[in-house]
Amino acid sequence: MPPGADVAGNIDSVRRRIAAAAQRAGRSPTDIRLVAVSKTFDALLVRDAASHGQLSFGENRVQEGAAKIAALSDLALEWHLIGHLQSNKAAKAAALFAWIESVDSVELLQRIDRAAVEAGTRPSVLIQVDLAREVTKHGATQDRVSDLVQAAAGLQAATLRGLMTVPPIPERTDDSRQWFQRLRQLRDDLVSAGAAAESLRELSMGMSHDFEVAIEEGATIVRVGTAIFG
Ligand SMILES: *Cc1c(COP(=O)(O)O)cnc(C)c1O
C-alpha cells in the first residue's frame, strides 16, 4: 500500500459525503451506488476496500481489469468497465464485467450481447454519451442515443440500464452541473418519447471532484477513484 493511503477512512468519508449530498437533494443514499475506481491501483488495495464493505469497482482497461478480477476471484465483487471498449475486446469484457458503462455504438452493443450469450453472462450496460462533443472523448453523440436505446430492445443476454457521461474537466466543481442536468434531461426526453423507463433508470455521472453535484442532479452511480485510493 502506498504510504499514507487510508482506504477504509477514505471510503467512510466518501460515503458520508454521498449521504449528505443525497439528503440535500431529498434522495435516499441507498439509491446511489458507489463504484470505487481501482484503475492503476494494486489488487491488494481493492482487497483492503472490500474488507471495508466496498464491493463495486471500476476499471478502464479490459486487460488490467482481467488481472485484478482473477487475483480477487475469491471475493464476490461487482466489476464495472468504465473505459473505452474496442470491439475486439468486447467478448472478453462481456465475460468478465457485470457492468459495461462505455457502450457507444449499436455495433458494440450487439457484439457484447452475442458474446454474453456465448459466455452465459448477463451484463448490465450503460450508453456513454459525449454531451460536449469533445474530440478527445469517447461516447455516442446525443443524436445517436435513441438508436442505441431502440437496439437494446432486441438484446438477449445484456440489459440496458441507463446512461453514463464524463463531462469536460471543470474549472470549478459547479461547472459539471450543466452536463449532469443535460444527461438527466436526455434520459427524461427519451422516456417521454417512449423508451422503457426501466432501461434508463441509471445515471452514471460524477467523479472525485464532482460526485456531490452529480448526486444533487440525479446520479444513481458515482465513479470515485482518487478520493478513495489516493
Ligand atoms: C478514472 C475515472 C474515474 C474516476 O476518476 P477520479 O477523478 O479518480 O475519481 C471515473 N470515471 C472514469 C470514466 C474514469 O476514467
Side-chain angles (χ1 to χ4, degrees), residues 9-25 29 32 34 173 207-213 215-216 222 224 226-228:
N10 291 345
I11 289 170
D12 284 343
S13 148
V14 168
R15 288 198 181 286
R16 272 196 300 273
R17 290 167 60 192
I18 288 173
Q23 192 164 34
R24 281 198 297 281
I32 296 144
L34 170 61
T173 301
M207 308 176 17
S208 290
H209 55 269
D210 55 16
F211 69 87
E212 289 148 306
V213 175
I215 289 166
E216 288 167 15
V222 291
V224 179
T226 47
I228 290 175

Side-chain angles (χ1 to χ4, degrees), residues 37 39 60 82-83 128 164 166 206-209 223-227:
V37 177
K39 69 180 186 211
N60 66 343
I82 60 172
Q128 181 174 354
M164 177 272 219
V166 183
M207 308 176 17
S208 290
H209 55 269
R223 311 175 307 267
V224 179
T226 47

Side-chain angles (χ1 to χ4, degrees), residues 62 84-94 102 104-112 114-115:
V62 174
H84 177 62
L85 177 58
Q86 286 170 296
S87 53
N88 63 356
K89 301 219 174 85
K92 197 162 188 189
S102 48
D104 60 3
S105 73
V106 170
E107 198 232 314
L108 181 60
L109 181 67
Q110 290 172 344
R111 205 179 265 253
I112 289 167
R114 284 194 299 274

Side-chain angles (χ1 to χ4, degrees), residues 34-40 56-62 64-65 78-85 93 97-104 124 126-129 137-139 164-166 204-208 221-226:
L34 170 61
V35 174
V37 177
S38 49
K39 69 180 186 211
T40 76
S56 298
F57 294 92
E59 288 287 330
N60 66 343
R61 289 163 172 271
V62 174
E64 184 186 345
E78 178 191 86
W79 291 94
H80 292 233
L81 182 67
I82 60 172
H84 177 62
L85 177 58
F97 289 87
W99 289 73
I100 299 176
E101 299 201 12
S102 48
V103 177
D104 60 3
S124 294
L126 302 180
I127 300 167
Q128 181 174 354
V129 189
K137 284 271 167 66
H138 295 287
M164 177 272 219
T165 199
V166 183
S204 176
M205 53 192 200
M207 308 176 17
S208 290
I221 298 174
V222 291
R223 311 175 307 267
V224 179
T226 47

Side-chain angles (χ1 to χ4, degrees), residues 11 45 67 75 77 100 136 156 160 162 174 178 180 188:
I11 289 170
L45 280 178
L75 301 174
L77 304 180
I100 299 176
T136 54
Q156 294 177 54
L160 178 62
D174 216 58
Q178 57 160 319
F180 299 151
D188 292 349

